[in-house]
Amino acid sequence: MAISRRTFLVRTAQVVVMGGLLPGMTGCNGLVRDDFERGEGYAALLAALGQQRTEMLWHASFAPSSHNVQPWTVRVVDNDHWLIGIAASRRLPAVDPGNTEILLSLGAFVESLVLAGSGLGLKCRTTLITDDPDASELIELRLQEAPAEDYPLSRLLERRTLRLPFENREVEAADFSHLVEGYQGFYYFPSASREANWLDTATIDANRQQVQRDDVQKELASWIRWSDAAARRHRNGLTPEAIGITGLAGWYVRNFYGRDDVFNKDFRRNTVNRVVSRVSQSGGWMVLTGRDHSVASLIDAGRRFQRMFLRARERSVAIHPMSQVLEEAPWKEKVRASLALPGEPLFLLRTGYSRDYPPPVSLRMPLDRFVSAGEG
Ligand SMILES: Cc1cc2nc3c(=O)[nH]c(=O)nc-3n(C[C@H](O)[C@H](O)[C@H](O)COP(=O)(O)O)c2cc1C
């Protein structure tokens, strides 16, 4: 089998790293979250809004989002009245033309604001102000001082998506209950189940189809931050470190990969190969359903997802959203009936125990990139 020079170099790098031939390769690491302090804009907001509100925004900024686009915006009308919206430039029209994933991400952000507020002594009342998924502002937030609840804020900072191999054993019922806290719409399918087998195969097939779509690869290219300079400039999107390309292989792609590399055959094939190995290394799937694809239902699902996700690390349960089945036809039309679910599947989450639960690495934009003040 002929392989390109680039594939050879990357594979060689991976072999060297996996073989442990380069001990203590810290110099090869890419930018991770700890490389940034509270970031630009923090001090200015602190002066304008005070500590509680600024900390609330900072903690919420670590919410998960599809491709790590961090679609949210916050307009501070006054200290106790904020409008939460979506930045047009941070939508994903190729993979997510209906804004489903963007609204789920917005829901996760809103839940983070509410939970951070509760831990910091701010009670939040949220009101949906539109049912238009393309609206630029969707949620009104009213804040009120209240006694702080003992919600552990560290959960917001320590949550992360894990794309590693997970243990194959089943998630225990007590752990699943701890994560979902009695919330409706969560289902768990252990790896040996018929439903998990369907999701494994469908996920591989949907990925195989999706990597051939140039519009999707082009969109992905605009959200991958191969170089440290790009990561530092944007502080959103996917870094090699975040997608698990680390060590010498990480160093190589950071220095020699560019936008066009997502179009090459090796990149597309490796993406599918990674999916094949990941689905075989899991304790099954967790599925989160909602009523439908309305704005209200998606925001609500994003909120439940984030509440669950925030409790996963303390039980060593890894969570890996894999959304391609929900993005690609015909699987997106078949998934609900194939899993025989009473609601619409909105999140498909590869899950399982992970002994190795490293700290988060995905980057976040500084506060001044998504918070603005004024009447609009
Ligand atoms: C709605 C939604 C869909 C997602 N879909 C995928 C996916 O298909 N594959 C994947 O690897 N990660 C997926 N993610 C995870 C994001 O890539 C991740 O949250 C983001 O990169 C930030 O990283 P963090 O969760 O570690 O903070 C999804 C997240 C959300 C909120």
Side-chain angles (χ1 to χ4, degrees), residues 182-218:
Y183 273 87
Q184 299 294 307
F186 285 95
Y187 300 86
Y188 168 59
F189 301 115
S191 16
S193 63
R194 181 194 65 79
E195 292 87 348
N197 283 327
W198 188 87
L199 282 168
D200 288 352
T201 308
T203 298
I204 294 167
D205 292 344
N207 270 279
R208 196 167 275 137
Q209 174 169 299
Q210 192 174 75
V211 293
Q212 296 308 327
R213 283 178 54 193
D214 281 345
D215 61 334
V216 169
Q217 295 305 100
K218 191 168 167 219

Side-chain angles (χ1 to χ4, degrees), residues 172 208 251:
E172 288 168 26
R208 196 167 275 137
W251 172 83

Side-chain angles (χ1 to χ4, degrees), residues 64-66 68 159-161 163 320-321 323-324 347 362 364:
S65 58
S66 190
N68 196 26
R159 182 210 56 80
R160 67 162 295 171
T161 299
R163 300 181 178 85
H320 178 188
S323 309
Q324 292 68 28
F347 275 104
S362 61
R364 290 298 183 277

Side-chain angles (χ1 to χ4, degrees), residues 33 61-70 72 96 100-106 108 156 159-163 207 210 237-239 242-243 302 305 309 319-324 327 346-349 360-364:
R33 197 179 290 175
S61 73
F62 296 101
S65 58
S66 190
H67 284 18
N68 196 26
V69 297
Q70 303 165 49
W72 39 80
D96 185 31
T100 302
E101 294 178 29
I102 292 297
L103 290 163
L104 292 168
S105 307
L106 191 71
L156 292 148
R159 182 210 56 80
R160 67 162 295 171
T161 299
L162 276 182
R163 300 181 178 85
N207 270 279
Q210 192 174 75
L238 302 162
T239 59
I243 52 183
F305 163 69
F309 206 167
I319 302 291
H320 178 188
M322 296 185 94
S323 309
Q324 292 68 28
E327 293 164 352
L346 298 175
F347 275 104
L348 304 178
L349 308 166
V361 290
S362 61
L363 304 180
R364 290 298 183 277

Side-chain angles (χ1 to χ4, degrees), residues 126-329:
T126 59
T127 313
L128 190 63
I129 54 174
T130 177
D131 56 9
D132 175 6
D134 297 317
S136 58
E137 288 181 329
L138 296 103
I139 292 171
E140 181 181 70
L141 198 77
R142 298 272 178 185
L143 296 108
Q144 204 181 3
E145 313 268 329
E149 290 169 26
D150 66 349
Y151 188 84
L153 294 176
S154 57
R155 279 184 182 159
L156 292 148
L157 306 181
E158 289 166 7
R159 182 210 56 80
R160 67 162 295 171
T161 299
L162 276 182
R163 300 181 178 85
L164 303 163
F166 308 153
E167 290 176 27
N168 285 107
R169 72 189 164 99
E170 276 189 30
V171 174
E172 288 168 26
D175 288 334
F176 179 67
S177 306
H178 176 81
L179 262 61
V180 307
E181 288 182 277
Y183 273 87
Q184 299 294 307
F186 285 95
Y187 300 86
Y188 168 59
F189 301 115
S191 16
S193 63
R194 181 194 65 79
E195 292 87 348
N197 283 327
W198 188 87
L199 282 168
D200 288 352
T201 308
T203 298
I204 294 167
D205 292 344
N207 270 279
R208 196 167 275 137
Q209 174 169 299
Q210 192 174 75
V211 293
Q212 296 308 327
R213 283 178 54 193
D214 281 345
D215 61 334
V216 169
Q217 295 305 100
K218 191 168 167 219
E219 185 169 84
L220 179 63
S222 70
W223 289 101
I224 294 198
R225 312 300 179 213
W226 288 122
S227 70
D228 281 352
R232 190 170 282 114
R233 189 164 63 248
H234 295 284
R235 303 255 290 275
N236 55 24
L238 302 162
T239 59
E241 207 79 22
I243 52 183
I245 309 176
T246 55
L248 193 54
W251 172 83
Y252 183 83
V253 298
R254 280 201 310 283
N255 288 286
F256 298 108
Y257 261 42
R259 240 183 134 81
D260 290 346
D261 282 288
V262 305
F263 296 105
N264 82 36
K265 254 194 1 240
D266 285 333
F267 183 87
R268 296 187 210 235
R269 196 183 42 229
N270 288 339
T271 303
V272 178
N273 288 347
R274 236 186 344 261
V275 171
V276 172
S277 83
R278 289 300 171 256
V279 297
S280 70
Q281 295 162 321
S282 93
W285 290 86
M286 201 187 296
V287 176
L288 170 51
T289 62
R291 198 178 55 249
D292 51 32
H293 284 84
S294 64
V295 172
S297 161
L298 294 172
I299 294 207
D300 174 66
R303 294 187 65 165
R304 284 181 286 134
F305 163 69
Q306 176 68 339
R307 271 195 93 90
M308 177 283 295
F309 206 167
L310 289 165
R311 297 162 75 92
R313 179 186 280 273
E314 62 215 35
R315 295 294 173 114
S316 302
V317 176
I319 302 291
H320 178 188
M322 296 185 94
S323 309
Q324 292 68 28
V325 164
L326 301 173
E327 293 164 352
E328 295 291 315

Side-chain angles (χ1 to χ4, degrees), residues 22 46 76 81 139 192 357:
L22 285 173
L46 197 60
V76 177
H81 181 200
I139 292 171
Y357 218 124

